[in-house]
Amino acid sequence: MEKTDEMVGVAEGVAVAPVGSPPLRRIRPWRLGAALALTASAAAVLLLLGGARWLNQPAVQAWRTVCLAITVQALPFLLLGTALSGAINAFVPAELFTRILPKRAALAVPVAGAAGAVLPGCECASVPVANSLIRRGVTPAAAFAFLLSAPAINPVVLTATAVAFPGNPAMVVARLVASLATAAVMGWLWLWLGKERWLRPVLRHQHTGHRHGRSRWNEFRLGFQHDFLHAGGFLVLGAMAAATFNVAVPRSVLDTFSGSPWLSVLFLAGLAVLLAVCSEADAFVAASLTGFSPTARLAFMVVGPMVDLKLIALQAGTFGRAFAWRFCTATTVVAVAASVLIGGGLL
């Protein structure tokens, strides 16, 4: 086969690099996710069985309760996201997304961010969907804006926020505006400063979509299997880390920070990252933190759906660690700034 300056072929989901470029390593990310899932599942089984005396200690029981709650809470939305990702890959024409979104990337970013309002899922669902959108030809900046907005402004989340803060519609509006602003700013920042080399080589060069002569249902099954095994392992890993923090940090630490307006915002933003509460439930957690200011609680709800332990792990496993640490750090800064500015004006 004649080789050109472009990628010359893809086999078995492995990218083939252009001539003259360094050889790409064969990457099987689903194997890492499956290994993590099996390891975490084995550890969870041991903890749940409770055969040893130390496993029945109150702290260990609380840890496994929190870990199981986070995993069970997020699993349906992870299933939804991976199923939607597989369906997009197998059934939706690649040209559809480029036709819907504006051709100018700077305009596609806010449109993709606003489109996040139609997907009733959490951050676990948005990562595989954004991954599939990129592989279908959507500009990464627009896909990342969708990734951030979908778990934060969908109807389920906004309704839960209204229920958690009865008689306070300003909190719902503030969450909507701050989350949309963060998603749009991060998309534009990627257009300005983002580099393609920060993404996985397989993600940059992988060919996806329906191929002639192959069953669409078989492609859907293979795509769903790949994404679920991959993302599921990182989800369990993030849930275990969040449960560890939840059990280890005493309540007195929370009370120490609630007195300072600035420290309370930063503390609740960091707490949102560490607790990894699903976006459909985080409004009720925020409402229970009555000792903190409304702006601090808004920061908790804006940062949490965009940056938390399980989401960082999912992004690192899907897009690569080089992307995840840069993108999550920048997102946290932008989300906190948006919460302070918008919360200060509306709340």
Side-chain angles (χ1 to χ4, degrees):
M1 180 174 63
E2 182 182 355
K3 296 180 179 179
T4 65
D5 290 335
E6 302 297 327
M7 187 184 71
V8 295
V10 176
E12 299 290 330
V14 180
V16 180
V19 176
S21 66
L24 293 177
R25 185 166 51 89
R26 180 179 292 265
I27 299 176
R28 303 283 191 181
W30 65 269
R31 289 183 177 175
L32 177 57
L36 285 172
L38 289 174
T39 303
S41 299
V45 168
L46 289 175
L47 289 173
L48 292 173
L49 287 177
R53 180 176 300 176
W54 68 272
L55 293 177
N56 294 320
Q57 295 297 319
V60 179
Q61 290 180 341
W63 182 93
R64 64 192 188 196
T65 299
V66 173
C67 181
L68 185 61
I70 292 174
T71 303
V72 171
Q73 186 182 52
L75 191 58
F77 298 102
L78 181 61
L79 284 168
L80 171 66
T82 50
L84 183 58
S85 174
I88 289 173
N89 185 60
F91 298 108
V92 179
E95 300 80 10
L96 177 64
F97 302 106
T98 55
R99 290 176 183 174
I100 293 176
L101 291 174
K103 295 190 180 298
R104 292 187 60 183
L107 295 178
V109 166
V111 172
V118 304
L119 178 64
C122 73
E123 56 271 27
C124 301
S126 64
V127 172
V129 173
N131 182 26
S132 183
L133 290 176
I134 295 175
R135 295 182 305 190
R136 303 294 284 176
V138 174
T139 177
F144 296 149
F146 175 83
L147 182 152
L148 295 176
S149 68
I153 66 169
N154 69 70
V156 176
V157 169
L158 295 180
T159 301
T161 305
V163 173
F165 292 90
N168 190 6
M171 183 64 79
V172 181
V173 175
R175 180 172 193 175
L176 172 64
V177 175
S179 299
L180 269 178
T182 302
V185 169
M186 285 305 302
W188 288 325
L189 279 177
W190 178 265
L191 285 177
W192 179 32
L193 300 173
K195 293 179 175 57
E196 187 179 331
R197 60 182 172 83
W198 292 343
L199 299 175
R200 283 185 184 276
V202 167
L203 181 66
R204 295 202 304 261
H205 300 296
Q206 186 176 23
H207 171 77
T208 59
H210 177 64
R211 298 180 186 177
H212 240 10
R214 295 191 179 183
S215 167
R216 292 183 182 272
W217 285 106
N218 188 53
E219 289 181 356
F220 168 76
R221 179 183 62 81
L222 292 175
F224 174 81
Q225 172 184 299
H226 172 279
D227 287 343
F228 182 74
L229 286 176
H230 184 200
F234 288 98
L235 166 63
V236 175
L237 186 66
M240 294 172 70
T244 301
F245 174 83
N246 205 320
V247 172
V249 177
R251 175 71 187 182
S252 58
V253 175
L254 300 179
D255 299 332
T256 303
F257 290 90
S258 61
S260 170
W262 287 103
L263 284 180
S264 64
V265 170
L266 296 177
F267 180 77
L268 285 194
L271 188 65
V273 174
L274 295 170
L275 287 183
V277 181
C278 189
S279 59
E280 274 73 18
D282 64 355
F284 299 97
V285 177
S288 69
L289 300 172
T290 54
F292 291 87
S293 67
T295 300
R297 288 186 280 176
L298 174 65
F300 180 88
M301 293 186 292
V302 174
V303 173
M306 299 183 178
V307 186
D308 62 32
L309 285 179
K310 66 178 185 293
L311 184 55
I312 293 171
L314 285 167
Q315 287 187 11
T318 302
F319 302 116
R321 287 177 295 179
F323 166 84
W325 79 265
R326 291 180 174 91
F327 190 76
C328 290
T329 301
T331 300
T332 303
V333 173
V334 173
V336 169
S339 300
V340 170
L341 291 175
I342 294 170
L346 294 179
L347 302 178

